[in-house]
Amino acid sequence: MNKNNQLVKIFHGPQHPGITGNMSVEIDLDGETIVNAETHVGYLHRGFEKLVERRTIPQAFTIVCRICVPEPDPNEENFARGIENLAGIEVPVKAKWIRTMVLEMQRMTSQFLWMAGQGGSLGLYINPQWAVADRDLMLDLYEELTGARVYHMYIYPGGVRNDLPLGFLYKLGRLLDYYETRLPEYDRIFFNNAVFKKRAVGAGYVSPETALKHGVVGPVLRAAGFKKDVRRYAPYEMYENLEFDIPVATESDVYARALIRREEFKQSIRILRQIIKMMPKDGPVNVKLKNHRQFTIPKGETWVRTESSRGEFSYYMASDGSEKLRRMQVKGPSMVHAMSLLPEVIKGGQLADVAMIMNSLGTCPPEIER
Amino acid sequence: MSFINDKLIPTFPGYNITTDDQGIHKINIEIDNLITIASRLHNELNFESLQTISCADWIEDGYLQLNYIFYSYEFNQTVFVSLNLPRELKDDGSKRTISTIPSLQNIWPQANHFERELWEMFGVSVTGHNSLKEFFLEDWQQIPPMRRDFDTLDFVNNSFEFRPGREDAMDVATERKRVREAKASEVTKGADVNEQK
Amino acid sequence: MNWKLDIKGILEPFTALKYLFKQPATLLYPFEKRKTTENYRGFHRNDQSKCIGCGLCEDICMNDAIDMIKPEIVKNAKNSSELIPRVDFGRCCWCSLCTDVCPTKSLTLSNEYSMVSTDPNSFLYNIPDTSKKEKQNG
Ligand code: SF4
Ligand code: SF4
C-alpha cells in the first residue's frame, strides 16, 4: 500500500524482460504481495484462423506453424492429421515414423527453451546461454532435415515433405549421446542449485482440484498428480509402438514441474533412441496431393490433439466440401494456463516470483491469440 | 460403443446422440438445455474438463454452430455438445446476435475466456458473464471479424497502402493468349510466303 | 521456512567455471562463416532456359510474393507466356511451395540467406538466372 493506504497497480509486461512473450499481467500490489491479478493479451493478434479460411490447404499449411513460436511442429502435425481425417488420406508408415521423430525432437528443443526461460526469470543467466547453445545443435539437425531452423514447414498433409538425408539418424544418435552427458551438468548448475530450490520449492502451487477444474494440461497437470498424457490416452502417429514413462509428482510447485520436465527430457531421449532403431529403411514418405485448387475435402468436422512439451494442442476443424476449410479453431495450453490459471496462482504470492511462475506454467501468448 | 450405450443414452434419453468414426460423441441440443446438459455431464458423468468452445459460421444455413467440447479423463471419451445459434445480429448497432447463450463460467472458470472470445470474434451474445470486454482487438468498429461476411481483403485494401513498384506484373493467361495468337499469325504469314514462292 | 544448509547445492554450480578453459561454442562471425546445409531454403534461383512461364508458382504463392514480369530476352523458346517470375522478399516466407509446384523444376532455392540493404525497394528481387552461368562456363 502506498501513503494513502491504496493498492499500487502495476503492469507486468508487455515490455518486461521476465514475461514470456507479448502479454501483460495487471497486478494490484500491497507492498510486495499480489492482491489481484488479471492477464491482458492483444498485442500479437495475427488472425491466422481467419486467414486459413481464405486459403487453399497447401497455402494454409505454411502459416499454421507460426501459431506457436517455440513449438511449431505439434501445430503442423495437428493440421496435417486433421486434414487427413477429413479427406480420408492414408499416410505411409515411414512418414508416420518421421513425424514422431520430428515431434519428439521438437519437444526436446522446447524443453531447452523452457530451461533458458526458467533460468533467465531467476537471474541465473548461465542457463539461457547453455540451453540456447545446446538447442542450436538440434536446430542444425532440423536445418539438414527440413531446410529451415525454426519454422520447418515439414509435416505436410499426406506425409512429410522429403525423406531423411543420408546419415541423419547417425547424427541424431550422436547428438543424443552428447545431450546425455550434458544432463548431469545441468543438474549441477540448475536442478540441484540451492538458490533455485530455495526460490522454487513451494512457489506457484496448483492444487489438484484447481488443475482439473481449469482443464490444465501437460507438465502442470502431471505435477499435480495426474498421470495424463495425450501420447498415452489418445495415441497418434507411432506412439503406440514406443515405450516411455510418464513422470508424475504431487508437490505441484515450480520445482516439481522443473523435475518433471527434466524427466520428460530423458524420456524424449529414450523415445528417440527407439525410433532410430525402428525407423523403416525405405518406403514412400508422402502421398501426392492434387493441384491445390482441385484438392477439395468432403464436408465434415474433426478434433485432433497433440502433446507438445507444454501440454495438449487441440484443433477443431470443419470443412464444407470446398477446397478451403470452413473453420479451424486452435486451442493451445496457454489459453487456460495464462488466462485463467495464472491470475489465480500468483494471487497472494510475491511480485518477484511472477516471472518464474509464468515460465513454469508454460504460458506463451502467440497461441492464445493466434 | 459401450460408453454411449451404458452412460450417455441412459443419462440423456430422448436426445439425438451420434458417434462418428473418430469416436467423438455428439449430442445435438437446443440452447435452453445447455446449462442442464453441461452440469449433468459434469456432475453425473464426471466430465471434468471443458476443452474448448468451437464455433463455425455456416452462413448459407443461417446459423453459428457452437460445439462445447468436453473430455473425461475417467472414461477417456470426448463429447461434443452441439447447438445451432441463429446468426442474425441485433439492429441496434451493438453487432451482437439476437439469441443468447448462457455462460458456463460458474462450472468451468476457463469458459469465461472462451465465451469472451466468441463474443468478440463472432458476436455471440452471452448472458451471466462477468467480463465481456475487449479481448484481442482494439477499438474495433466493424462487424465481428470471424464472421464469414467480414471480408479481410476488403479491410486490408481500405486500411493499408501498398508499396509501389510492382505494377509491371502481368497476367499469365492474357499473355499466353497473346503469344499464341502472335505465333499463329506468324505461322500463317509463313504459310503465305511459302505459297507465294 | 525451515531450510537446511545445502552445501552441495551451493558449491556445485561453480563447477561450471571449468568452461572458462574450454573452446568457445560460438563462431568469430565475420571471419568465420557458418556452413549452411545443402537443402537450406534461401534465396530463389531460376533457370530461365527451362522456365515455361506457366505461372503456377505465382498461383500457389499465398503471400502474393511472385509477380510474372517480362524478361529482357526470353531464353526458353517453349515459354508459353514469355514471362518469368520475380519475388518480393518483403512478402516471401520461404515456404518453398513455389519450387515444389514448378513443373520443370527450373525454380529452386539456394542456400544463401543474407541480404543487407537500406533501400526497401531492393527487396523486389529479380531472380538470378542460373542458365546464364552455365553458358559462360561452357
Ligand atoms: S512454375 Fe516454374 S516453369 Fe512455371 S513460371 Fe514458375 S518458375 Fe517458370
Ligand atoms: S517460397 Fe513461398 S512465399 Fe516465397 S515466393 Fe515461393 S511460394 Fe511464395
mmCIF file of all heavy atoms in Angstrom, chain A residues 118-157:
data_model
loop_
_atom_site.group_PDB
_atom_site.id
_atom_site.type_symbol
_atom_site.label_atom_id
_atom_site.label_comp_id
_atom_site.label_asym_id
_atom_site.label_seq_id
_atom_site.Cartn_x
_atom_site.Cartn_y
_atom_site.Cartn_z
ATOM 1 N N GLN A 118 13.369 -20.346 -17.740
ATOM 2 C CA GLN A 118 13.254 -20.514 -16.298
ATOM 3 C C GLN A 118 14.494 -19.966 -15.599
ATOM 4 O O GLN A 118 14.391 -19.303 -14.574
ATOM 5 C CB GLN A 118 13.055 -21.993 -15.972
ATOM 6 C CG GLN A 118 12.740 -22.265 -14.531
ATOM 7 C CD GLN A 118 11.288 -21.971 -14.199
ATOM 8 O OE1 GLN A 118 10.404 -22.759 -14.447
ATOM 9 N NE2 GLN A 118 11.050 -20.810 -13.646
ATOM 10 N N GLY A 119 15.665 -20.234 -16.180
ATOM 11 C CA GLY A 119 16.883 -19.684 -15.598
ATOM 12 C C GLY A 119 16.896 -18.174 -15.690
ATOM 13 O O GLY A 119 17.226 -17.482 -14.727
ATOM 14 N N GLY A 120 16.500 -17.650 -16.850
ATOM 15 C CA GLY A 120 16.506 -16.207 -17.035
ATOM 16 C C GLY A 120 15.586 -15.509 -16.061
ATOM 17 O O GLY A 120 15.905 -14.445 -15.545
ATOM 18 N N SER A 121 14.430 -16.133 -15.794
ATOM 19 C CA SER A 121 13.485 -15.472 -14.906
ATOM 20 C C SER A 121 13.963 -15.473 -13.465
ATOM 21 O O SER A 121 13.399 -14.790 -12.624
ATOM 22 C CB SER A 121 12.124 -16.141 -15.007
ATOM 23 O OG SER A 121 12.205 -17.449 -14.513
ATOM 24 N N LEU A 122 14.985 -16.268 -13.164
ATOM 25 C CA LEU A 122 15.520 -16.288 -11.806
ATOM 26 C C LEU A 122 16.800 -15.479 -11.699
ATOM 27 O O LEU A 122 17.372 -15.379 -10.627
ATOM 28 C CB LEU A 122 15.853 -17.726 -11.409
ATOM 29 C CG LEU A 122 14.694 -18.660 -11.151
ATOM 30 C CD1 LEU A 122 15.158 -20.072 -11.300
ATOM 31 C CD2 LEU A 122 14.163 -18.424 -9.777
ATOM 32 N N GLY A 123 17.295 -14.993 -12.838
ATOM 33 C CA GLY A 123 18.575 -14.316 -12.817
ATOM 34 C C GLY A 123 19.741 -15.266 -12.894
ATOM 35 O O GLY A 123 20.876 -14.897 -12.631
ATOM 36 N N LEU A 124 19.475 -16.492 -13.287
ATOM 37 C CA LEU A 124 20.548 -17.482 -13.418
ATOM 38 C C LEU A 124 20.939 -17.507 -14.884
ATOM 39 O O LEU A 124 20.472 -18.338 -15.648
ATOM 40 C CB LEU A 124 20.034 -18.839 -12.955
ATOM 41 C CG LEU A 124 21.001 -20.004 -12.909
ATOM 42 C CD1 LEU A 124 22.081 -19.731 -11.894
ATOM 43 C CD2 LEU A 124 20.274 -21.271 -12.538
ATOM 44 N N TYR A 125 21.778 -16.572 -15.296
ATOM 45 C CA TYR A 125 21.934 -16.352 -16.733
ATOM 46 C C TYR A 125 22.825 -17.358 -17.420
ATOM 47 O O TYR A 125 22.977 -17.331 -18.628
ATOM 48 C CB TYR A 125 22.411 -14.928 -17.006
ATOM 49 C CG TYR A 125 21.323 -13.945 -16.722
ATOM 50 C CD1 TYR A 125 21.407 -13.019 -15.716
ATOM 51 C CD2 TYR A 125 20.149 -14.005 -17.471
ATOM 52 C CE1 TYR A 125 20.370 -12.157 -15.446
ATOM 53 C CE2 TYR A 125 19.112 -13.147 -17.204
ATOM 54 C CZ TYR A 125 19.226 -12.233 -16.199
ATOM 55 O OH TYR A 125 18.189 -11.398 -15.946
ATOM 56 N N ILE A 126 23.425 -18.242 -16.653
ATOM 57 C CA ILE A 126 24.212 -19.281 -17.310
ATOM 58 C C ILE A 126 23.275 -20.243 -18.036
ATOM 59 O O ILE A 126 23.605 -20.796 -19.081
ATOM 60 C CB ILE A 126 25.086 -20.006 -16.278
ATOM 61 C CG1 ILE A 126 26.049 -20.935 -16.980
ATOM 62 C CG2 ILE A 126 24.248 -20.767 -15.287
ATOM 63 C CD1 ILE A 126 27.139 -21.416 -16.090
ATOM 64 N N ASN A 127 22.100 -20.396 -17.494
ATOM 65 C CA ASN A 127 21.118 -21.310 -18.070
ATOM 66 C C ASN A 127 20.728 -20.952 -19.491
ATOM 67 O O ASN A 127 20.803 -21.791 -20.372
ATOM 68 C CB ASN A 127 19.875 -21.296 -17.184
ATOM 69 C CG ASN A 127 19.593 -22.643 -16.631
ATOM 70 O OD1 ASN A 127 20.412 -23.516 -16.754
ATOM 71 N ND2 ASN A 127 18.447 -22.807 -16.045
ATOM 72 N N PRO A 128 20.286 -19.706 -19.735
ATOM 73 C CA PRO A 128 19.941 -19.357 -21.110
ATOM 74 C C PRO A 128 21.105 -19.589 -22.058
ATOM 75 O O PRO A 128 20.917 -20.068 -23.174
ATOM 76 C CB PRO A 128 19.596 -17.871 -21.039
ATOM 77 C CG PRO A 128 19.309 -17.579 -19.641
ATOM 78 C CD PRO A 128 19.940 -18.633 -18.811
ATOM 79 N N GLN A 129 22.319 -19.259 -21.608
ATOM 80 C CA GLN A 129 23.439 -19.377 -22.537
ATOM 81 C C GLN A 129 23.698 -20.830 -22.910
ATOM 82 O O GLN A 129 23.858 -21.159 -24.078
ATOM 83 C CB GLN A 129 24.671 -18.759 -21.911
ATOM 84 C CG GLN A 129 24.377 -17.340 -21.502
ATOM 85 C CD GLN A 129 25.600 -16.498 -21.419
ATOM 86 O OE1 GLN A 129 26.695 -16.975 -21.577
ATOM 87 N NE2 GLN A 129 25.412 -15.230 -21.174
ATOM 88 N N TRP A 130 23.702 -21.686 -21.927
ATOM 89 C CA TRP A 130 23.948 -23.095 -22.221
ATOM 90 C C TRP A 130 22.804 -23.696 -23.016
ATOM 91 O O TRP A 130 23.021 -24.375 -24.015
ATOM 92 C CB TRP A 130 24.081 -23.886 -20.920
ATOM 93 C CG TRP A 130 25.415 -23.780 -20.285
ATOM 94 C CD1 TRP A 130 26.352 -22.835 -20.550
ATOM 95 C CD2 TRP A 130 25.941 -24.640 -19.293
ATOM 96 N NE1 TRP A 130 27.437 -23.051 -19.752
ATOM 97 C CE2 TRP A 130 27.217 -24.154 -18.981
ATOM 98 C CE3 TRP A 130 25.462 -25.761 -18.631
ATOM 99 C CZ2 TRP A 130 28.023 -24.769 -18.031
ATOM 100 C CZ3 TRP A 130 26.263 -26.364 -17.693
ATOM 101 C CH2 TRP A 130 27.536 -25.872 -17.388
ATOM 102 N N ALA A 131 21.592 -23.440 -22.544
ATOM 103 C CA ALA A 131 20.456 -24.125 -23.148
ATOM 104 C C ALA A 131 20.278 -23.695 -24.598
ATOM 105 O O ALA A 131 20.009 -24.521 -25.467
ATOM 106 C CB ALA A 131 19.188 -23.843 -22.354
ATOM 107 N N VAL A 132 20.451 -22.404 -24.866
ATOM 108 C CA VAL A 132 20.277 -21.957 -26.243
ATOM 109 C C VAL A 132 21.372 -22.527 -27.137
ATOM 110 O O VAL A 132 21.124 -22.923 -28.279
ATOM 111 C CB VAL A 132 20.203 -20.425 -26.305
ATOM 112 C CG1 VAL A 132 20.274 -19.930 -27.719
ATOM 113 C CG2 VAL A 132 18.924 -19.952 -25.662
ATOM 114 N N ALA A 133 22.592 -22.619 -26.582
ATOM 115 C CA ALA A 133 23.669 -23.206 -27.384
ATOM 116 C C ALA A 133 23.385 -24.674 -27.673
ATOM 117 O O ALA A 133 23.570 -25.141 -28.799
ATOM 118 C CB ALA A 133 24.996 -23.058 -26.651
ATOM 119 N N ASP A 134 22.896 -25.400 -26.681
ATOM 120 C CA ASP A 134 22.614 -26.817 -26.913
ATOM 121 C C ASP A 134 21.433 -27.012 -27.845
ATOM 122 O O ASP A 134 21.402 -27.936 -28.650
ATOM 123 C CB ASP A 134 22.337 -27.516 -25.577
ATOM 124 C CG ASP A 134 23.626 -27.783 -24.834
ATOM 125 O OD1 ASP A 134 24.674 -27.736 -25.487
ATOM 126 O OD2 ASP A 134 23.575 -28.017 -23.619
ATOM 127 N N ARG A 135 20.457 -26.111 -27.719
ATOM 128 C CA ARG A 135 19.305 -26.196 -28.606
ATOM 129 C C ARG A 135 19.732 -25.987 -30.047
ATOM 130 O O ARG A 135 19.201 -26.603 -30.967
ATOM 131 C CB ARG A 135 18.290 -25.133 -28.189
ATOM 132 C CG ARG A 135 17.119 -24.962 -29.097
ATOM 133 C CD ARG A 135 16.166 -23.946 -28.514
ATOM 134 N NE ARG A 135 15.020 -23.728 -29.368
ATOM 135 C CZ ARG A 135 14.921 -22.714 -30.220
ATOM 136 N NH1 ARG A 135 15.906 -21.853 -30.308
ATOM 137 N NH2 ARG A 135 13.851 -22.566 -30.965
ATOM 138 N N ASP A 136 20.718 -25.123 -30.233
ATOM 139 C CA ASP A 136 21.170 -24.830 -31.583
ATOM 140 C C ASP A 136 21.674 -26.074 -32.303
ATOM 141 O O ASP A 136 21.522 -26.191 -33.521
ATOM 142 C CB ASP A 136 22.277 -23.792 -31.528
ATOM 143 C CG ASP A 136 21.943 -22.596 -32.353
ATOM 144 O OD1 ASP A 136 20.823 -22.087 -32.171
ATOM 145 O OD2 ASP A 136 22.762 -22.199 -33.183
ATOM 146 N N LEU A 137 22.246 -26.998 -31.551
ATOM 147 C CA LEU A 137 22.739 -28.210 -32.196
ATOM 148 C C LEU A 137 21.576 -29.002 -32.781
ATOM 149 O O LEU A 137 21.682 -29.595 -33.856
ATOM 150 C CB LEU A 137 23.498 -29.059 -31.185
ATOM 151 C CG LEU A 137 24.689 -28.350 -30.548
ATOM 152 C CD1 LEU A 137 25.287 -29.203 -29.481
ATOM 153 C CD2 LEU A 137 25.714 -28.032 -31.620
ATOM 154 N N MET A 138 20.449 -28.998 -32.066
ATOM 155 C CA MET A 138 19.265 -29.672 -32.597
ATOM 156 C C MET A 138 18.726 -28.915 -33.816
ATOM 157 O O MET A 138 18.303 -29.514 -34.795
ATOM 158 C CB MET A 138 18.216 -29.763 -31.489
ATOM 159 C CG MET A 138 17.045 -30.635 -31.808
ATOM 160 S SD MET A 138 17.501 -32.332 -32.113
ATOM 161 C CE MET A 138 16.909 -33.114 -30.627
ATOM 162 N N LEU A 139 18.794 -27.577 -33.745
ATOM 163 C CA LEU A 139 18.317 -26.796 -34.882
ATOM 164 C C LEU A 139 19.164 -27.073 -36.119
ATOM 165 O O LEU A 139 18.656 -27.067 -37.243
ATOM 166 C CB LEU A 139 18.342 -25.302 -34.563
ATOM 167 C CG LEU A 139 17.425 -24.827 -33.442
ATOM 168 C CD1 LEU A 139 17.356 -23.323 -33.435
ATOM 169 C CD2 LEU A 139 16.034 -25.386 -33.590
ATOM 170 N N ASP A 140 20.452 -27.342 -35.916
ATOM 171 C CA ASP A 140 21.292 -27.691 -37.059
ATOM 172 C C ASP A 140 20.769 -28.955 -37.731
ATOM 173 O O ASP A 140 20.722 -29.044 -38.960
ATOM 174 C CB ASP A 140 22.731 -27.930 -36.617
ATOM 175 C CG ASP A 140 23.437 -26.630 -36.304
ATOM 176 O OD1 ASP A 140 22.882 -25.579 -36.669
ATOM 177 O OD2 ASP A 140 24.511 -26.662 -35.706
ATOM 178 N N LEU A 141 20.356 -29.913 -36.908
ATOM 179 C CA LEU A 141 19.802 -31.140 -37.485
ATOM 180 C C LEU A 141 18.505 -30.844 -38.236
ATOM 181 O O LEU A 141 18.255 -31.385 -39.313
ATOM 182 C CB LEU A 141 19.514 -32.163 -36.385
ATOM 183 C CG LEU A 141 20.697 -32.938 -35.860
ATOM 184 C CD1 LEU A 141 20.221 -34.022 -34.941
ATOM 185 C CD2 LEU A 141 21.482 -33.544 -36.996
ATOM 186 N N TYR A 142 17.690 -29.973 -37.646
ATOM 187 C CA TYR A 142 16.451 -29.598 -38.318
ATOM 188 C C TYR A 142 16.740 -28.964 -39.671
ATOM 189 O O TYR A 142 16.064 -29.223 -40.656
ATOM 190 C CB TYR A 142 15.685 -28.581 -37.475
ATOM 191 C CG TYR A 142 14.666 -29.209 -36.579
ATOM 192 C CD1 TYR A 142 14.664 -28.995 -35.225
ATOM 193 C CD2 TYR A 142 13.672 -30.025 -37.112
ATOM 194 C CE1 TYR A 142 13.725 -29.569 -34.405
ATOM 195 C CE2 TYR A 142 12.733 -30.596 -36.302
ATOM 196 C CZ TYR A 142 12.758 -30.369 -34.953
ATOM 197 O OH TYR A 142 11.823 -30.933 -34.163
ATOM 198 N N GLU A 143 17.773 -28.136 -39.682
ATOM 199 C CA GLU A 143 18.134 -27.455 -40.911
ATOM 200 C C GLU A 143 18.467 -28.483 -41.992
ATOM 201 O O GLU A 143 18.074 -28.358 -43.147
ATOM 202 C CB GLU A 143 19.325 -26.559 -40.631
ATOM 203 C CG GLU A 143 19.685 -25.660 -41.776
ATOM 204 C CD GLU A 143 20.855 -24.792 -41.410
ATOM 205 O OE1 GLU A 143 20.922 -24.333 -40.256
ATOM 206 O OE2 GLU A 143 21.694 -24.578 -42.279
ATOM 207 N N GLU A 144 19.175 -29.508 -41.570
ATOM 208 C CA GLU A 144 19.555 -30.529 -42.525
ATOM 209 C C GLU A 144 18.331 -31.291 -43.031
ATOM 210 O O GLU A 144 18.203 -31.610 -44.202
ATOM 211 C CB GLU A 144 20.492 -31.499 -41.829
ATOM 212 C CG GLU A 144 21.392 -32.227 -42.750
ATOM 213 C CD GLU A 144 22.538 -32.795 -41.948
ATOM 214 O OE1 GLU A 144 23.305 -32.024 -41.348
ATOM 215 O OE2 GLU A 144 22.620 -34.012 -41.900
ATOM 216 N N LEU A 145 17.412 -31.567 -42.110
ATOM 217 C CA LEU A 145 16.253 -32.380 -42.465
ATOM 218 C C LEU A 145 15.232 -31.596 -43.268
ATOM 219 O O LEU A 145 14.717 -32.074 -44.277
ATOM 220 C CB LEU A 145 15.623 -32.916 -41.174
ATOM 221 C CG LEU A 145 14.352 -33.731 -41.299
ATOM 222 C CD1 LEU A 145 14.629 -34.997 -42.059
ATOM 223 C CD2 LEU A 145 13.805 -34.072 -39.930
ATOM 224 N N THR A 146 14.928 -30.357 -42.809
ATOM 225 C CA THR A 146 13.778 -29.662 -43.378
ATOM 226 C C THR A 146 14.158 -28.448 -44.198
ATOM 227 O O THR A 146 13.354 -27.967 -44.972
ATOM 228 C CB THR A 146 12.851 -29.188 -42.257
ATOM 229 O OG1 THR A 146 13.532 -28.172 -41.528
ATOM 230 C CG2 THR A 146 12.491 -30.294 -41.317
ATOM 231 N N GLY A 147 15.361 -27.932 -44.020
ATOM 232 C CA GLY A 147 15.735 -26.744 -44.771
ATOM 233 C C GLY A 147 15.497 -25.457 -44.015
ATOM 234 O O GLY A 147 15.720 -24.390 -44.543
ATOM 235 N N ALA A 148 15.012 -25.543 -42.801
ATOM 236 C CA ALA A 148 14.819 -24.329 -42.022
ATOM 237 C C ALA A 148 15.094 -24.638 -40.569
ATOM 238 O O ALA A 148 15.064 -25.790 -40.163
ATOM 239 C CB ALA A 148 13.402 -23.795 -42.185
ATOM 240 N N ARG A 149 15.351 -23.581 -39.813
ATOM 241 C CA ARG A 149 15.759 -23.838 -38.432
ATOM 242 C C ARG A 149 14.594 -23.789 -37.450
ATOM 243 O O ARG A 149 14.511 -24.611 -36.554
ATOM 244 C CB ARG A 149 16.821 -22.831 -38.014
ATOM 245 C CG ARG A 149 18.103 -22.996 -38.774
ATOM 246 C CD ARG A 149 19.088 -21.920 -38.426
ATOM 247 N NE ARG A 149 19.647 -22.096 -37.104
ATOM 248 C CZ ARG A 149 20.642 -22.917 -36.839
ATOM 249 N NH1 ARG A 149 21.160 -23.641 -37.787
ATOM 250 N NH2 ARG A 149 21.118 -23.011 -35.624
ATOM 251 N N VAL A 150 13.723 -22.811 -37.603
ATOM 252 C CA VAL A 150 12.661 -22.681 -36.606
ATOM 253 C C VAL A 150 11.297 -23.070 -37.169
ATOM 254 O O VAL A 150 10.620 -23.933 -36.637
ATOM 255 C CB VAL A 150 12.636 -21.265 -36.022
ATOM 256 C CG1 VAL A 150 11.508 -21.128 -35.041
ATOM 257 C CG2 VAL A 150 13.944 -20.975 -35.325
ATOM 258 N N TYR A 151 10.888 -22.434 -38.267
ATOM 259 C CA TYR A 151 9.596 -22.784 -38.869
ATOM 260 C C TYR A 151 9.845 -23.806 -39.964
ATOM 261 O O TYR A 151 10.158 -23.454 -41.086
ATOM 262 C CB TYR A 151 8.916 -21.543 -39.439
ATOM 263 C CG TYR A 151 8.529 -20.564 -38.365
ATOM 264 C CD1 TYR A 151 8.850 -19.234 -38.448
ATOM 265 C CD2 TYR A 151 7.833 -21.005 -37.251
ATOM 266 C CE1 TYR A 151 8.498 -18.354 -37.456
ATOM 267 C CE2 TYR A 151 7.471 -20.132 -36.255
ATOM 268 C CZ TYR A 151 7.813 -18.805 -36.368
ATOM 269 O OH TYR A 151 7.465 -17.945 -35.395
ATOM 270 N N HIS A 152 9.663 -25.073 -39.614
ATOM 271 C CA HIS A 152 10.155 -26.101 -40.522
ATOM 272 C C HIS A 152 9.279 -26.324 -41.744
ATOM 273 O O HIS A 152 9.769 -26.655 -42.794
ATOM 274 C CB HIS A 152 10.305 -27.404 -39.758
ATOM 275 C CG HIS A 152 11.018 -27.222 -38.464
ATOM 276 N ND1 HIS A 152 10.492 -27.579 -37.265
ATOM 277 C CD2 HIS A 152 12.218 -26.668 -38.205
ATOM 278 C CE1 HIS A 152 11.342 -27.263 -36.306
ATOM 279 N NE2 HIS A 152 12.386 -26.711 -36.844
ATOM 280 N N MET A 153 7.961 -26.161 -41.581
ATOM 281 C CA MET A 153 7.019 -26.433 -42.679
ATOM 282 C C MET A 153 7.334 -27.774 -43.320
ATOM 283 O O MET A 153 7.612 -27.878 -44.507
ATOM 284 C CB MET A 153 7.085 -25.333 -43.730
ATOM 285 C CG MET A 153 6.719 -24.006 -43.146
ATOM 286 S SD MET A 153 6.646 -22.757 -44.379
ATOM 287 C CE MET A 153 7.803 -21.591 -43.745
ATOM 288 N N TYR A 154 7.371 -28.769 -42.514
ATOM 289 C CA TYR A 154 7.869 -30.067 -42.951
ATOM 290 C C TYR A 154 6.773 -31.127 -42.939
ATOM 291 O O TYR A 154 6.649 -31.920 -43.858
ATOM 292 C CB TYR A 154 9.019 -30.468 -42.026
ATOM 293 C CG TYR A 154 9.667 -31.764 -42.365
ATOM 294 C CD1 TYR A 154 10.326 -31.925 -43.574
ATOM 295 C CD2 TYR A 154 9.622 -32.834 -41.488
ATOM 296 C CE1 TYR A 154 10.921 -33.119 -43.891
ATOM 297 C CE2 TYR A 154 10.227 -34.028 -41.790
ATOM 298 C CZ TYR A 154 10.872 -34.166 -42.995
ATOM 299 O OH TYR A 154 11.457 -35.341 -43.310
ATOM 300 N N ILE A 155 5.984 -31.147 -41.870
ATOM 301 C CA ILE A 155 4.907 -32.135 -41.784
ATOM 302 C C ILE A 155 3.731 -31.613 -42.591
ATOM 303 O O ILE A 155 3.189 -30.559 -42.299
ATOM 304 C CB ILE A 155 4.517 -32.364 -40.319
ATOM 305 C CG1 ILE A 155 5.726 -32.869 -39.550
ATOM 306 C CG2 ILE A 155 3.382 -33.357 -40.227
ATOM 307 C CD1 ILE A 155 5.472 -33.060 -38.090
ATOM 308 N N TYR A 156 3.376 -32.358 -43.603
ATOM 309 C CA TYR A 156 2.509 -31.862 -44.654
ATOM 310 C C TYR A 156 1.310 -32.797 -44.734
ATOM 311 O O TYR A 156 1.473 -33.991 -44.475
ATOM 312 C CB TYR A 156 3.330 -31.943 -45.940
ATOM 313 C CG TYR A 156 2.763 -31.292 -47.147
ATOM 314 C CD1 TYR A 156 2.889 -29.937 -47.317
ATOM 315 C CD2 TYR A 156 2.129 -32.038 -48.122
ATOM 316 C CE1 TYR A 156 2.390 -29.339 -48.448
ATOM 317 C CE2 TYR A 156 1.631 -31.439 -49.250
ATOM 318 C CZ TYR A 156 1.764 -30.085 -49.407
ATOM 319 O OH TYR A 156 1.266 -29.504 -50.521
ATOM 320 N N PRO A 157 0.106 -32.297 -45.039
ATOM 321 C CA PRO A 157 -0.991 -33.246 -45.206
ATOM 322 C C PRO A 157 -0.612 -34.304 -46.232
ATOM 323 O O PRO A 157 -0.259 -33.973 -47.355
ATOM 324 C CB PRO A 157 -2.139 -32.371 -45.718
ATOM 325 C CG PRO A 157 -1.829 -31.022 -45.220
ATOM 326 C CD PRO A 157 -0.343 -30.914 -45.170
#
